[in-house]
Amino acid sequence: MTAERMEFQAETKRLLDLVVNSIYTNKEIFLRELISNASDALDKLRIESLTNSDLSTGAEAEIFVVPDSATKTITISDNGIGMTREEVIANIGTIAKSGTKDFLEKIRESNGTSAQELIGQFGVGFYSAFIVAEKVELITRKAGTESACKWTSEGAGEYELEECTKDSNGTTIILHLKPEFCGDDEFNFTDTHEIERLIKKYSDFVRYPIKMNYEVKGEDKDAEPTTEVRTVNSMKPLWTRSKSEIKPEEYEEFYKQQLHEWEAPFETFHVKAEGTVEYTALTFIPKHAANNLYYSDYEAGLQLYSRHVFIMDKCKDFLPDYLRFVKGLVDSPDLPLNISRELLQQSREIKVIGKALEKNILKRLGKLLKDERERYEEFWKEFGKSLKMGVYGSMFDTKTQDDLKDLLMFATSHEGKLSTLAEYVERMPESQKKIYIAAGKDVESIERLPQMELLRDRGLEVIYMTDPIDEFVVDVLRKYADKEFQSITRENFELDDAESQKVKAEVEEIAKSHEELLKDVKEAIAEVNEVRLTSKLKSGAVCLATSEQGPSLTMEKTFAAMNNPYFKATQILELNPNHAVFSKLESLHEQGKDTPAFKEMCRTLYSLALLIEGVMPKNPVELANKVTDLLTK
Ligand code: ADP
């Protein structure tokens, strides 16, 4: 049978290039990655054999590592689940994860400077083989099937696939090492003792035996040495050891090995509990958010063990969705070994453990915020969105709202720094009754809003809602420390100080004598619900407000982006009666509400108000023509 040549999916190719060419200071990690995959394959077989007895071969699950200086290879085999031909193409020839594009985009933008860190976030597992190998062969046979297939690649964009034979299920990976990795230089991955050291260092707690061949010389010095098989790893689960004995490096290695991570965790939680439910949990907050954290293919969840035996990966029932970024495991003797996913959801033990873990994580975050502000901000930049989603999802769950509201951070007009709500309230002057917020696509566009001018003048601080979810979050919270949130672009916004109230009364007087004008302006602009005069503008001529209830303009944009065009903001056009444009409008009105000049003026003012809010007017050309007219006059 001839081999078939296939191309890597384009994105895979690019990622491969990056892995191989980015300067890995740590060439050794390929072994950890491949052993980790082998261990997963053994887990999968064990779990599947629970429900499919045809799969259990009776063979002891094991991983074999064979370095060979004669052939300049190192071979890693497992007798796990194996892969079918289609699975090889899907798993090894492509990278199916969402966010790959974003990821590559980010790398491109960073000009390669932080490529290594970014790859760390992504995790490229199998491809790390090409860091040390010039050619990789993978021979695999899926458990329960007869046919095997062989995949070969030199990592240059193409791979070959051919049918072959293999005695038993599992996967064998042969790395043909680059010359620099089999000599006497820094690295010699064909050396048994070197490999033994690496296995002990990176893979000691792998729960299956990792075996190697050792040459042993007998008493008789002239006799040929015999080969003896030894298990290299201790297999003792790290989490069963006492906390005081575990060094930070050990946690770090465990995290990388067990959870396929490439960089140290941000925070580690190791808890042993012996209350109503007995359990040990070892969980971590990663340093960086996974690229697909908010995509549907991100699989959250903790690994589940019972009496140190692996039961299931990605058990989602422990932690609430807003802690989806937390990784790790739970080991509890109170859980039965062959529990199904459906039963798990109803398990009281899982609920008890989950609640305790959640509480513990939130407590640590609160402490971090208090004692290590900078680190908390680092955390916030990566995972703040998740906590905000937690608040948003807790519409009827005031307990979660209470738990999370003090952990929220926002940019504000105060020194451009991130603030908690408590800090904002602390700085509020006594006369200020509400918490002011303003939404926009970024800090700059909010600061340019004409409504900001007066607030700046009065030294009032505004919270900037730059993430589309922010307004929804405060909508759910409604209040903080008994103070309502007030958007400065909502119709009911007004300033409480005496000066502002005085101006407001004056404007109301003017409005009374201009009812006719306002009615006619509204008639000229079908899109707005109301036209009124405002005291909230200083040098600006117009602005758009939205009704007190219902979506804001930024919310409308978010809904539209989610293909939901029915949620529309109720628009109110507000005019500054102290602006010269207003007098112009008045004089045009005097010439008749149906004159083209008056109508055009109204439409132009509306288009300008939209632009200020960052909304594109329906007919931008009309506006452009108008402006060009003015420029040439
Ligand atoms: P990850 O392990 O993060 O999913 P990898 O690139 O390491 O990414 O592996 C891709 C996929 O290939 C794995 O998810 C698994 O399905 C499959 N795979 C890799 N190694 C093995 C193996 N030894 N046995 C069976 N399947 C494997």
Side-chain angles (χ1 to χ4, degrees):
M1 170 110 193
T2 51
E4 193 178 342
R5 271 186 173 281
M6 298 178 111
E7 289 229 347
F8 282 113
Q9 178 203 30
E11 282 163 357
T12 311
K13 204 148 78 183
R14 174 128 177 84
L15 200 58
L16 236 157
D17 270 2
L18 277 164
V19 175
V20 179
N21 299 326
S22 67
I23 331 103
Y24 268 105
T25 40
N26 205 351
K27 310 282 179 195
E28 328 168 325
I29 45 84
F30 78 93
L31 189 61
R32 175 187 78 199
E33 295 302 312
L34 297 180
I35 288 179
S36 183
N37 280 350
S39 162
D40 289 350
L42 291 165
D43 278 341
K44 283 185 197 154
L45 178 62
R46 203 178 56 72
I47 302 292
E48 286 201 17
S49 350
L50 291 175
T51 49
N52 181 358
S53 54
D54 293 349
L55 296 184
S56 35
T57 54
E60 184 203 8
E62 60 179 23
I63 299 165
F64 232 99
V65 181
V66 183
D68 184 351
S69 55
T71 56
K72 298 192 165 48
T73 59
I74 174 166
T75 301
I76 296 115
S77 4
D78 64 71
N79 54 355
I81 189 85
M83 283 178 270
T84 61
R85 186 176 184 277
E86 288 66 41
E87 284 170 337
V88 170
I89 297 174
N91 295 339
I92 307 292
T94 33
I95 292 177
K97 285 174 192 147
S98 303
T100 310
K101 271 221 176 75
D102 300 354
F103 164 74
L104 291 173
E105 207 48 51
K106 260 199 240 167
I107 292 206
R108 216 163 294 142
E109 279 167 17
S110 74
N111 288 328
T113 41
S114 57
Q116 186 171 344
E117 193 180 293
L118 287 163
I119 288 173
Q121 292 172 46
F122 197 76
V124 278
F126 176 79
Y127 298 109
S128 62
F130 289 101
I131 299 173
V132 296
E134 53 194 16
K135 179 170 143 191
V136 178
E137 289 172 84
L138 175 146
I139 299 152
T140 186
R141 177 171 149 190
K142 177 93 174 184
T145 68
E146 297 296 321
S147 60
C149 100
K150 180 171 159 188
W151 177 97
T152 316
S153 176
E154 286 167 17
E158 279 184 341
Y159 60 87
E160 271 179 23
L161 261 185
E162 62 187 309
E163 244 175 65
C164 66
T165 52
K166 189 174 181 302
D167 290 343
S168 54
N169 62 284
T171 303
T172 296
I173 294 168
I174 305 164
L175 307 186
H176 296 267
L177 295 164
K178 295 177 186 169
E180 63 263 41
F181 298 112
C182 32
D184 301 324
D185 301 349
E186 199 185 343
F187 302 101
N188 185 358
F189 297 133
T190 61
D191 178 66
T192 305
H193 295 287
E194 174 77 6
I195 295 298
E196 176 188 322
R197 185 183 67 79
L198 293 183
I199 294 175
K200 287 213 163 99
K201 177 171 170 195
Y202 292 113
S203 310
D204 192 56
F205 17 66
V206 166
R207 48 198 173 268
Y208 299 102
I210 303 169
K211 297 180 176 174
M212 285 177 73
N213 293 322
Y214 288 81
E215 281 193 357
V216 261
K217 292 212 168 77
E219 299 281 294
D220 180 357
K221 294 222 175 353
D222 299 327
E224 280 288 299
T226 52
T227 309
E228 189 182 293
V229 175
R230 285 186 212 148
T231 297
V232 181
N233 55 330
S234 75
M235 290 190 277
K236 186 170 166 56
L238 180 80
W239 64 91
T240 59
R241 287 166 46 194
S242 124
K243 263 162 84 169
S244 56
E245 282 174 15
I246 307 175
K247 297 194 209 81
E249 313 83 88
E250 289 181 285
Y251 280 123
E252 184 178 325
E253 270 320 318
F254 177 81
Y255 171 72
K256 290 180 180 169
Q257 155 73 46
Q258 185 90 5
L259 300 161
H260 299 254
E261 290 288 336
W262 287 54
E263 55 181 352
F266 179 72
E267 282 287 302
T268 303
F269 304 81
H270 188 183
V271 198
K272 282 178 208 255
E274 281 165 355
T276 42
V277 182
E278 190 184 328
Y279 67 90
T280 301
L282 181 51
T283 52
F284 304 90
I285 296 178
K287 243 191 210 133
H288 292 99
N291 280 287
N292 60 345
L293 186 61
Y294 302 112
Y295 290 83
S296 59
D297 70 347
Y298 178 82
E299 276 197 88
L302 303 179
Q303 296 179 345
L304 181 59
Y305 290 78
S306 174
R307 297 180 195 283
H308 322 329
V309 179
F310 176 77
I311 298 185
M312 152 186 327
D313 205 9
K314 313 278 181 198
C315 174
K316 288 191 188 60
D317 305 302
F318 287 108
L319 293 173
D321 195 48
Y322 76 81
L323 290 178
R324 50 168 46 211
F325 54 86
V326 173
K327 302 198 162 184
L329 58 93
V330 175
D331 184 358
S332 169
D334 295 338
L335 291 166
L337 271 177
N338 52 358
I339 188 163
S340 71
R341 286 204 185 257
E342 292 68 39
L343 279 177
L344 265 184
Q345 284 173 359
Q346 298 150 24
S347 152
R348 187 187 66 90
E349 288 79 11
I350 298 265
K351 286 205 181 75
V352 173
I353 298 171
K355 281 277 161 243
L357 296 181
E358 181 185 1
K359 201 166 147 192
N360 197 7
I361 292 166
L362 293 180
K363 201 167 126 198
R364 177 86 62 91
L365 290 177
K367 201 164 148 29
L368 217 54
L369 173 60
K370 198 164 135 261
D371 302 337
E372 294 176 69
R373 174 67 171 226
E374 270 178 32
R375 281 195 78 224
Y376 184 80
E377 288 190 16
E378 270 172 47
F379 161 81
W380 180 257
K381 284 185 186 123
E382 292 295 322
F383 301 109
K385 201 188 211 44
S386 294
L387 300 197
K388 290 192 274 193
M389 285 165 97
V391 176
Y392 176 59
S394 70
M395 196 88 72
F396 305 106
D397 170 6
T398 49
K399 162 95 176 56
T400 303
Q401 289 173 27
D402 285 344
D403 285 346
L404 295 181
K405 64 178 194 237
D406 284 313
L407 293 172
L408 301 177
M409 292 196 120
F410 299 96
T412 84
S413 54
H414 178 75
E415 296 175 358
K417 289 194 193 121
L418 283 173
S419 269
T420 63
L421 293 172
E423 290 160 352
Y424 176 93
V425 169
E426 177 71 33
R427 288 192 291 262
M428 276 169 67
E430 210 156 320
S431 62
Q432 187 185 341
K433 301 286 179 290
K434 294 180 175 178
I435 299 173
Y436 298 136
I437 61 168
K441 76 172 185 345
D442 49 33
V443 168
E444 292 72 30
S445 40
I446 297 175
E447 285 181 342
R448 282 194 293 257
L449 285 175
Q451 294 95 323
M452 284 292 292
E453 206 178 353
L454 266 187
L455 285 143
R456 234 185 329 260
D457 272 8
R458 305 263 196 280
L460 293 168
E461 185 178 349
V462 179
I463 298 184
Y464 296 155
M465 317 247 106
T466 49
D467 186 346
I469 195 173
D470 290 344
E471 276 183 290
F472 294 92
V473 168
V474 296
D475 237 25
V476 168
L477 288 178
R478 312 213 78 88
K479 287 178 177 185
Y480 178 85
D482 262 340
K483 298 193 164 46
E484 278 175 40
F485 290 100
Q486 171 68 58
S487 163
I488 66 164
T489 57
R490 294 273 186 190
E491 58 167 337
N492 61 334
F493 165 63
E494 59 180 51
L495 291 171
D496 307 306
D497 61 290
E499 167 70 15
S500 305
Q501 290 293 330
K502 190 174 139 251
V503 181
K504 188 182 157 213
E506 286 164 14
V507 167
E508 274 166 11
E509 274 310 306
I510 306 178
K512 269 187 204 149
S513 55
H514 288 77
E515 275 174 14
E516 193 66 21
L517 168 71
L518 296 175
K519 187 172 93 11
D520 294 340
V521 177
K522 180 183 167 335
E523 224 174 84
I525 315 167
E527 293 91 331
V528 299
N529 253 53
E530 199 182 331
V531 176
R532 56 165 82 143
L533 300 186
T534 184
S535 58
K536 287 173 285 190
L537 296 179
K538 197 179 159 201
S539 61
V542 276
C543 66
L544 263 190
T546 48
S547 59
E548 197 179 336
Q549 306 289 331
S552 68
L553 281 169
T554 39
M555 283 168 153
E556 179 182 310
K557 266 192 245 169
T558 309
F559 282 124
M562 296 186 314
N563 271 332
N564 195 342
Y566 304 107
F567 287 92
K568 291 261 184 231
T570 308
Q571 303 179 5
I572 296 148
L573 184 73
E574 300 192 321
L575 303 170
N576 180 359
N578 300 318
H579 196 282
V581 156
F582 185 71
S583 325
K584 183 80 199 273
L585 186 69
E586 268 186 294
S587 60
L588 288 177
H589 185 242
E590 275 160 20
Q591 288 157 30
K593 68 173 175 116
D594 295 320
T595 57
F598 175 69
K599 285 193 163 165
E600 222 170 76
M601 175 74 148
C602 295
R603 305 254 0 127
T604 305
L605 287 175
Y606 175 61
S607 297
L608 293 176
L610 281 175
L611 278 182
I612 289 169
E613 279 286 339
V615 180
M616 179 61 90
K618 278 220 184 66
N619 191 348
V621 176
E622 185 189 340
L623 178 68
N625 289 343
K626 183 78 211 155
V627 175
T628 351
D629 271 2
L630 286 173
L631 288 175
T632 43
K633 239 175 216 166

